[in-house]
Amino acid sequence: MDSQPKLKILFTKEEIEAAVKRLAAEIKEDYQSKYPLLIGVLKGSFMFMADLIRQLDFPLEVEFIRASSYGRGRESSGKIKVVQSLRSPVKGRDVLVIEDIVDTGLTTGFLLDYLRKKKPASLKLCALTDKPSRRQAPVTIDYLGFTVPNKFLVGYGLDLDEKFRNLPDICFLEEGS
Ligand code: 5GP
Ligand code: MG
């Protein structure tokens, strides 16, 4: 039996690059004089963050935060906690959270609440992908790359049991795989 899941490309690296450039232009417009604090949500956002900030030619700071929500496999446990917090103070900063994907919205919603309590001057969300069909908690995405169908995505930082993060394209797992 073939245990390798079958992958199909949803967005090529060229399409991702174009989306990242578009998002960077929008973010630059709003943040270029604000010295923002960009907070990437680990691990999935690391590649997006790296590509995005290379397109942002103005002063900014980078932080990462890590929440545990998804265990192994494809389903969220629904129980979320911060497992790696921030070193830079958030109070008074213009904070932009960088997410790989907003799925149920539970993780992002939890993290935005967590950060809001630290009293930033402003708090916005940039997500590379949005899977609105699965939403359980309302989340406003201020800067969005792609709306995606209800499929399990891998690549460009997104994993299945820690595999496939290194794929340059965003792919989905074919039904039954
Ligand atoms: P939530 O369901 O809380 O919005 O999403 C929590 C996390 O689940 C995301 O940040 C992401 O790490 C993971 N996740 C949600 N949908 C997918 C998906 O289609 N593929 C992968 N690889 N991870 C996902
Ligand atoms: Mg994530």
Side-chain angles (χ1 to χ4, degrees), residues 71-99:
R72 291 172 65 82
R74 305 179 197 184
E75 283 306 312
S76 175
S77 67
K79 295 198 190 84
I80 300 150
K81 61 179 184 190
V82 172
V83 294
Q84 181 186 317
S85 196
L86 306 164
R87 284 161 190 257
S88 306
V90 161
K91 191 169 182 198
R93 299 297 302 272
D94 288 297
V95 172
L96 181 59
V97 174
I98 309 295
E99 269 283 22

PDB file of all heavy atoms in Angstrom, residues 71-99:
ATOM      1  N   GLY A  71      -2.819  19.240  17.514  1.00  0.00           N
ATOM      2  CA  GLY A  71      -1.884  18.214  17.960  1.00  0.00           C
ATOM      3  C   GLY A  71      -1.293  17.622  16.696  1.00  0.00           C
ATOM      4  O   GLY A  71      -1.069  18.320  15.718  1.00  0.00           O
ATOM      5  N   ARG A  72      -1.096  16.350  16.679  1.00  0.00           N
ATOM      6  CA  ARG A  72      -0.660  15.710  15.452  1.00  0.00           C
ATOM      7  C   ARG A  72      -1.878  15.528  14.559  1.00  0.00           C
ATOM      8  O   ARG A  72      -3.004  15.552  15.010  1.00  0.00           O
ATOM      9  CB  ARG A  72      -0.006  14.371  15.768  1.00  0.00           C
ATOM     10  CG  ARG A  72       1.328  14.556  16.488  1.00  0.00           C
ATOM     11  CD  ARG A  72       1.860  13.244  16.970  1.00  0.00           C
ATOM     12  NE  ARG A  72       2.192  12.366  15.850  1.00  0.00           N
ATOM     13  CZ  ARG A  72       3.325  12.428  15.166  1.00  0.00           C
ATOM     14  NH1 ARG A  72       4.205  13.362  15.434  1.00  0.00           N
ATOM     15  NH2 ARG A  72       3.564  11.573  14.199  1.00  0.00           N
ATOM     16  N   GLY A  73      -1.626  15.333  13.277  1.00  0.00           N
ATOM     17  CA  GLY A  73      -2.724  15.079  12.355  1.00  0.00           C
ATOM     18  C   GLY A  73      -3.390  16.365  11.913  1.00  0.00           C
ATOM     19  O   GLY A  73      -2.773  17.410  11.899  1.00  0.00           O
ATOM     20  N   ARG A  74      -4.661  16.265  11.579  1.00  0.00           N
ATOM     21  CA  ARG A  74      -5.319  17.368  10.862  1.00  0.00           C
ATOM     22  C   ARG A  74      -6.361  18.092  11.680  1.00  0.00           C
ATOM     23  O   ARG A  74      -6.936  19.071  11.239  1.00  0.00           O
ATOM     24  CB  ARG A  74      -5.990  16.822   9.595  1.00  0.00           C
ATOM     25  CG  ARG A  74      -5.023  16.068   8.709  1.00  0.00           C
ATOM     26  CD  ARG A  74      -5.706  15.513   7.498  1.00  0.00           C
ATOM     27  NE  ARG A  74      -4.893  14.470   6.882  1.00  0.00           N
ATOM     28  CZ  ARG A  74      -5.209  13.852   5.766  1.00  0.00           C
ATOM     29  NH1 ARG A  74      -6.326  14.168   5.125  1.00  0.00           N
ATOM     30  NH2 ARG A  74      -4.435  12.927   5.281  1.00  0.00           N
ATOM     31  N   GLU A  75      -6.686  17.625  12.879  1.00  0.00           N
ATOM     32  CA  GLU A  75      -7.774  18.250  13.641  1.00  0.00           C
ATOM     33  C   GLU A  75      -7.255  19.023  14.843  1.00  0.00           C
ATOM     34  O   GLU A  75      -6.370  18.585  15.557  1.00  0.00           O
ATOM     35  CB  GLU A  75      -8.770  17.184  14.112  1.00  0.00           C
ATOM     36  CG  GLU A  75      -9.712  16.698  13.015  1.00  0.00           C
ATOM     37  CD  GLU A  75     -10.469  17.841  12.330  1.00  0.00           C
ATOM     38  OE1 GLU A  75     -11.022  18.697  13.039  1.00  0.00           O
ATOM     39  OE2 GLU A  75     -10.486  17.886  11.090  1.00  0.00           O
ATOM     40  N   SER A  76      -7.857  20.185  15.066  1.00  0.00           N
ATOM     41  CA  SER A  76      -7.502  21.000  16.216  1.00  0.00           C
ATOM     42  C   SER A  76      -8.063  20.371  17.483  1.00  0.00           C
ATOM     43  O   SER A  76      -9.147  19.811  17.479  1.00  0.00           O
ATOM     44  CB  SER A  76      -8.106  22.396  16.045  1.00  0.00           C
ATOM     45  OG  SER A  76      -7.875  23.148  17.197  1.00  0.00           O
ATOM     46  N   SER A  77      -7.290  20.466  18.558  1.00  0.00           N
ATOM     47  CA  SER A  77      -7.811  19.952  19.829  1.00  0.00           C
ATOM     48  C   SER A  77      -8.816  20.941  20.420  1.00  0.00           C
ATOM     49  O   SER A  77      -9.587  20.585  21.299  1.00  0.00           O
ATOM     50  CB  SER A  77      -6.659  19.755  20.821  1.00  0.00           C
ATOM     51  OG  SER A  77      -6.126  21.008  21.174  1.00  0.00           O
ATOM     52  N   GLY A  78      -8.784  22.189  19.944  1.00  0.00           N
ATOM     53  CA  GLY A  78      -9.672  23.216  20.471  1.00  0.00           C
ATOM     54  C   GLY A  78      -9.145  23.859  21.747  1.00  0.00           C
ATOM     55  O   GLY A  78      -9.572  24.919  22.136  1.00  0.00           O
ATOM     56  N   LYS A  79      -8.191  23.222  22.390  1.00  0.00           N
ATOM     57  CA  LYS A  79      -7.582  23.786  23.605  1.00  0.00           C
ATOM     58  C   LYS A  79      -6.291  24.477  23.192  1.00  0.00           C
ATOM     59  O   LYS A  79      -5.414  23.869  22.599  1.00  0.00           O
ATOM     60  CB  LYS A  79      -7.270  22.680  24.616  1.00  0.00           C
ATOM     61  CG  LYS A  79      -8.481  21.981  25.162  1.00  0.00           C
ATOM     62  CD  LYS A  79      -8.114  21.236  26.440  1.00  0.00           C
ATOM     63  CE  LYS A  79      -9.237  20.325  26.872  1.00  0.00           C
ATOM     64  NZ  LYS A  79      -9.195  19.020  26.168  1.00  0.00           N
ATOM     65  N   ILE A  80      -6.198  25.755  23.543  1.00  0.00           N
ATOM     66  CA  ILE A  80      -5.087  26.551  23.048  1.00  0.00           C
ATOM     67  C   ILE A  80      -4.340  27.182  24.204  1.00  0.00           C
ATOM     68  O   ILE A  80      -4.945  27.659  25.158  1.00  0.00           O
ATOM     69  CB  ILE A  80      -5.617  27.662  22.113  1.00  0.00           C
ATOM     70  CG1 ILE A  80      -6.354  27.029  20.928  1.00  0.00           C
ATOM     71  CG2 ILE A  80      -4.482  28.529  21.610  1.00  0.00           C
ATOM     72  CD1 ILE A  80      -7.446  27.883  20.399  1.00  0.00           C
ATOM     73  N   LYS A  81      -3.033  27.167  24.118  1.00  0.00           N
ATOM     74  CA  LYS A  81      -2.246  27.938  25.080  1.00  0.00           C
ATOM     75  C   LYS A  81      -0.997  28.462  24.395  1.00  0.00           C
ATOM     76  O   LYS A  81      -0.565  27.906  23.369  1.00  0.00           O
ATOM     77  CB  LYS A  81      -1.903  27.114  26.313  1.00  0.00           C
ATOM     78  CG  LYS A  81      -1.085  25.892  26.018  1.00  0.00           C
ATOM     79  CD  LYS A  81      -0.761  25.128  27.297  1.00  0.00           C
ATOM     80  CE  LYS A  81       0.152  23.977  26.926  1.00  0.00           C
ATOM     81  NZ  LYS A  81       0.394  23.016  27.922  1.00  0.00           N
ATOM     82  N   VAL A  82      -0.435  29.524  24.972  1.00  0.00           N
ATOM     83  CA  VAL A  82       0.803  30.085  24.436  1.00  0.00           C
ATOM     84  C   VAL A  82       1.954  29.264  24.988  1.00  0.00           C
ATOM     85  O   VAL A  82       2.088  29.122  26.201  1.00  0.00           O
ATOM     86  CB  VAL A  82       0.943  31.569  24.831  1.00  0.00           C
ATOM     87  CG1 VAL A  82       2.317  32.107  24.458  1.00  0.00           C
ATOM     88  CG2 VAL A  82      -0.143  32.388  24.153  1.00  0.00           C
ATOM     89  N   VAL A  83       2.747  28.684  24.112  1.00  0.00           N
ATOM     90  CA  VAL A  83       3.858  27.860  24.585  1.00  0.00           C
ATOM     91  C   VAL A  83       5.212  28.540  24.382  1.00  0.00           C
ATOM     92  O   VAL A  83       6.202  28.125  24.931  1.00  0.00           O
ATOM     93  CB  VAL A  83       3.867  26.452  23.932  1.00  0.00           C
ATOM     94  CG1 VAL A  83       2.666  25.648  24.369  1.00  0.00           C
ATOM     95  CG2 VAL A  83       3.923  26.532  22.422  1.00  0.00           C
ATOM     96  N   GLN A  84       5.235  29.591  23.563  1.00  0.00           N
ATOM     97  CA  GLN A  84       6.462  30.398  23.465  1.00  0.00           C
ATOM     98  C   GLN A  84       6.034  31.836  23.334  1.00  0.00           C
ATOM     99  O   GLN A  84       5.388  32.223  22.362  1.00  0.00           O
ATOM    100  CB  GLN A  84       7.289  30.002  22.251  1.00  0.00           C
ATOM    101  CG  GLN A  84       8.584  30.802  22.142  1.00  0.00           C
ATOM    102  CD  GLN A  84       9.321  30.515  20.858  1.00  0.00           C
ATOM    103  OE1 GLN A  84       9.438  29.374  20.433  1.00  0.00           O
ATOM    104  NE2 GLN A  84       9.808  31.570  20.209  1.00  0.00           N
ATOM    105  N   SER A  85       6.379  32.626  24.332  1.00  0.00           N
ATOM    106  CA  SER A  85       5.876  33.994  24.373  1.00  0.00           C
ATOM    107  C   SER A  85       6.897  34.980  23.830  1.00  0.00           C
ATOM    108  O   SER A  85       7.919  34.598  23.265  1.00  0.00           O
ATOM    109  CB  SER A  85       5.432  34.347  25.793  1.00  0.00           C
ATOM    110  OG  SER A  85       4.639  35.489  25.734  1.00  0.00           O
ATOM    111  N   LEU A  86       6.639  36.267  24.046  1.00  0.00           N
ATOM    112  CA  LEU A  86       7.400  37.329  23.399  1.00  0.00           C
ATOM    113  C   LEU A  86       8.456  37.903  24.324  1.00  0.00           C
ATOM    114  O   LEU A  86       8.275  37.922  25.543  1.00  0.00           O
ATOM    115  CB  LEU A  86       6.437  38.456  23.021  1.00  0.00           C
ATOM    116  CG  LEU A  86       5.247  38.018  22.184  1.00  0.00           C
ATOM    117  CD1 LEU A  86       4.180  39.101  22.203  1.00  0.00           C
ATOM    118  CD2 LEU A  86       5.691  37.723  20.766  1.00  0.00           C
ATOM    119  N   ARG A  87       9.530  38.381  23.732  1.00  0.00           N
ATOM    120  CA  ARG A  87      10.546  39.089  24.511  1.00  0.00           C
ATOM    121  C   ARG A  87      10.327  40.595  24.446  1.00  0.00           C
ATOM    122  O   ARG A  87      10.572  41.300  25.404  1.00  0.00           O
ATOM    123  CB  ARG A  87      11.949  38.742  24.005  1.00  0.00           C
ATOM    124  CG  ARG A  87      12.363  37.357  24.481  1.00  0.00           C
ATOM    125  CD  ARG A  87      13.498  36.771  23.658  1.00  0.00           C
ATOM    126  NE  ARG A  87      13.679  35.379  24.021  1.00  0.00           N
ATOM    127  CZ  ARG A  87      14.651  34.926  24.807  1.00  0.00           C
ATOM    128  NH1 ARG A  87      15.538  35.754  25.308  1.00  0.00           N
ATOM    129  NH2 ARG A  87      14.737  33.648  25.080  1.00  0.00           N
ATOM    130  N   SER A  88       9.898  41.087  23.287  1.00  0.00           N
ATOM    131  CA  SER A  88       9.678  42.540  23.158  1.00  0.00           C
ATOM    132  C   SER A  88       8.362  42.935  23.798  1.00  0.00           C
ATOM    133  O   SER A  88       7.374  42.226  23.649  1.00  0.00           O
ATOM    134  CB  SER A  88       9.596  42.941  21.687  1.00  0.00           C
ATOM    135  OG  SER A  88      10.705  42.503  20.984  1.00  0.00           O
ATOM    136  N   PRO A  89       8.342  44.093  24.493  1.00  0.00           N
ATOM    137  CA  PRO A  89       7.060  44.556  25.035  1.00  0.00           C
ATOM    138  C   PRO A  89       6.091  44.939  23.924  1.00  0.00           C
ATOM    139  O   PRO A  89       6.490  45.446  22.880  1.00  0.00           O
ATOM    140  CB  PRO A  89       7.449  45.777  25.876  1.00  0.00           C
ATOM    141  CG  PRO A  89       8.884  46.015  25.688  1.00  0.00           C
ATOM    142  CD  PRO A  89       9.467  44.947  24.824  1.00  0.00           C
ATOM    143  N   VAL A  90       4.833  44.693  24.158  1.00  0.00           N
ATOM    144  CA  VAL A  90       3.781  44.936  23.172  1.00  0.00           C
ATOM    145  C   VAL A  90       3.061  46.252  23.475  1.00  0.00           C
ATOM    146  O   VAL A  90       2.539  46.907  22.575  1.00  0.00           O
ATOM    147  CB  VAL A  90       2.791  43.740  23.208  1.00  0.00           C
ATOM    148  CG1 VAL A  90       1.470  44.086  22.583  1.00  0.00           C
ATOM    149  CG2 VAL A  90       3.419  42.517  22.537  1.00  0.00           C
ATOM    150  N   LYS A  91       3.103  46.643  24.747  1.00  0.00           N
ATOM    151  CA  LYS A  91       2.377  47.839  25.185  1.00  0.00           C
ATOM    152  C   LYS A  91       2.763  49.057  24.341  1.00  0.00           C
ATOM    153  O   LYS A  91       3.948  49.366  24.191  1.00  0.00           O
ATOM    154  CB  LYS A  91       2.679  48.116  26.661  1.00  0.00           C
ATOM    155  CG  LYS A  91       1.774  49.148  27.248  1.00  0.00           C
ATOM    156  CD  LYS A  91       1.882  49.229  28.744  1.00  0.00           C
ATOM    157  CE  LYS A  91       0.884  50.283  29.192  1.00  0.00           C
ATOM    158  NZ  LYS A  91       1.117  50.781  30.493  1.00  0.00           N
ATOM    159  N   GLY A  92       1.772  49.701  23.771  1.00  0.00           N
ATOM    160  CA  GLY A  92       1.997  50.925  23.010  1.00  0.00           C
ATOM    161  C   GLY A  92       2.516  50.722  21.588  1.00  0.00           C
ATOM    162  O   GLY A  92       2.709  51.683  20.853  1.00  0.00           O
ATOM    163  N   ARG A  93       2.770  49.471  21.202  1.00  0.00           N
ATOM    164  CA  ARG A  93       3.320  49.209  19.867  1.00  0.00           C
ATOM    165  C   ARG A  93       2.204  49.008  18.843  1.00  0.00           C
ATOM    166  O   ARG A  93       1.106  48.582  19.170  1.00  0.00           O
ATOM    167  CB  ARG A  93       4.188  47.933  19.873  1.00  0.00           C
ATOM    168  CG  ARG A  93       5.389  47.973  20.776  1.00  0.00           C
ATOM    169  CD  ARG A  93       6.389  49.028  20.373  1.00  0.00           C
ATOM    170  NE  ARG A  93       6.889  48.887  19.001  1.00  0.00           N
ATOM    171  CZ  ARG A  93       7.927  48.148  18.653  1.00  0.00           C
ATOM    172  NH1 ARG A  93       8.595  47.476  19.561  1.00  0.00           N
ATOM    173  NH2 ARG A  93       8.319  48.089  17.394  1.00  0.00           N
ATOM    174  N   ASP A  94       2.531  49.290  17.594  1.00  0.00           N
ATOM    175  CA  ASP A  94       1.626  48.943  16.497  1.00  0.00           C
ATOM    176  C   ASP A  94       1.971  47.519  16.072  1.00  0.00           C
ATOM    177  O   ASP A  94       3.019  47.278  15.463  1.00  0.00           O
ATOM    178  CB  ASP A  94       1.789  49.939  15.349  1.00  0.00           C
ATOM    179  CG  ASP A  94       1.192  51.291  15.709  1.00  0.00           C
ATOM    180  OD1 ASP A  94      -0.032  51.353  15.924  1.00  0.00           O
ATOM    181  OD2 ASP A  94       1.958  52.271  15.832  1.00  0.00           O
ATOM    182  N   VAL A  95       1.087  46.608  16.441  1.00  0.00           N
ATOM    183  CA  VAL A  95       1.371  45.179  16.286  1.00  0.00           C
ATOM    184  C   VAL A  95       0.619  44.615  15.082  1.00  0.00           C
ATOM    185  O   VAL A  95      -0.577  44.853  14.905  1.00  0.00           O
ATOM    186  CB  VAL A  95       0.964  44.413  17.568  1.00  0.00           C
ATOM    187  CG1 VAL A  95       1.066  42.903  17.353  1.00  0.00           C
ATOM    188  CG2 VAL A  95       1.846  44.836  18.742  1.00  0.00           C
ATOM    189  N   LEU A  96       1.347  43.863  14.262  1.00  0.00           N
ATOM    190  CA  LEU A  96       0.746  43.162  13.130  1.00  0.00           C
ATOM    191  C   LEU A  96       1.060  41.672  13.276  1.00  0.00           C
ATOM    192  O   LEU A  96       2.232  41.274  13.258  1.00  0.00           O
ATOM    193  CB  LEU A  96       1.306  43.710  11.815  1.00  0.00           C
ATOM    194  CG  LEU A  96       0.747  43.095  10.525  1.00  0.00           C
ATOM    195  CD1 LEU A  96      -0.768  43.281  10.419  1.00  0.00           C
ATOM    196  CD2 LEU A  96       1.445  43.701   9.310  1.00  0.00           C
ATOM    197  N   VAL A  97       0.024  40.884  13.466  1.00  0.00           N
ATOM    198  CA  VAL A  97       0.191  39.437  13.628  1.00  0.00           C
ATOM    199  C   VAL A  97       0.232  38.788  12.241  1.00  0.00           C
ATOM    200  O   VAL A  97      -0.582  39.110  11.370  1.00  0.00           O
ATOM    201  CB  VAL A  97      -0.968  38.854  14.476  1.00  0.00           C
ATOM    202  CG1 VAL A  97      -0.899  37.328  14.538  1.00  0.00           C
ATOM    203  CG2 VAL A  97      -0.926  39.440  15.887  1.00  0.00           C
ATOM    204  N   ILE A  98       1.192  37.898  12.054  1.00  0.00           N
ATOM    205  CA  ILE A  98       1.387  37.243  10.755  1.00  0.00           C
ATOM    206  C   ILE A  98       1.048  35.753  10.895  1.00  0.00           C
ATOM    207  O   ILE A  98       1.738  35.013  11.600  1.00  0.00           O
ATOM    208  CB  ILE A  98       2.863  37.383  10.281  1.00  0.00           C
ATOM    209  CG1 ILE A  98       3.346  38.839  10.346  1.00  0.00           C
ATOM    210  CG2 ILE A  98       3.035  36.796   8.889  1.00  0.00           C
ATOM    211  CD1 ILE A  98       2.651  39.798   9.412  1.00  0.00           C
ATOM    212  N   GLU A  99      -0.004  35.352  10.214  1.00  0.00           N
ATOM    213  CA  GLU A  99      -0.494  33.961  10.286  1.00  0.00           C
ATOM    214  C   GLU A  99      -0.348  33.257   8.942  1.00  0.00           C
ATOM    215  O   GLU A  99      -0.474  33.877   7.884  1.00  0.00           O
ATOM    216  CB  GLU A  99      -1.978  33.950  10.665  1.00  0.00           C
ATOM    217  CG  GLU A  99      -2.258  33.866  12.150  1.00  0.00           C
ATOM    218  CD  GLU A  99      -2.075  32.457  12.719  1.00  0.00           C
ATOM    219  OE1 GLU A  99      -1.354  31.619  12.124  1.00  0.00           O
ATOM    220  OE2 GLU A  99      -2.650  32.203  13.787  1.00  0.00           O
TER     221      GLU A  99
END
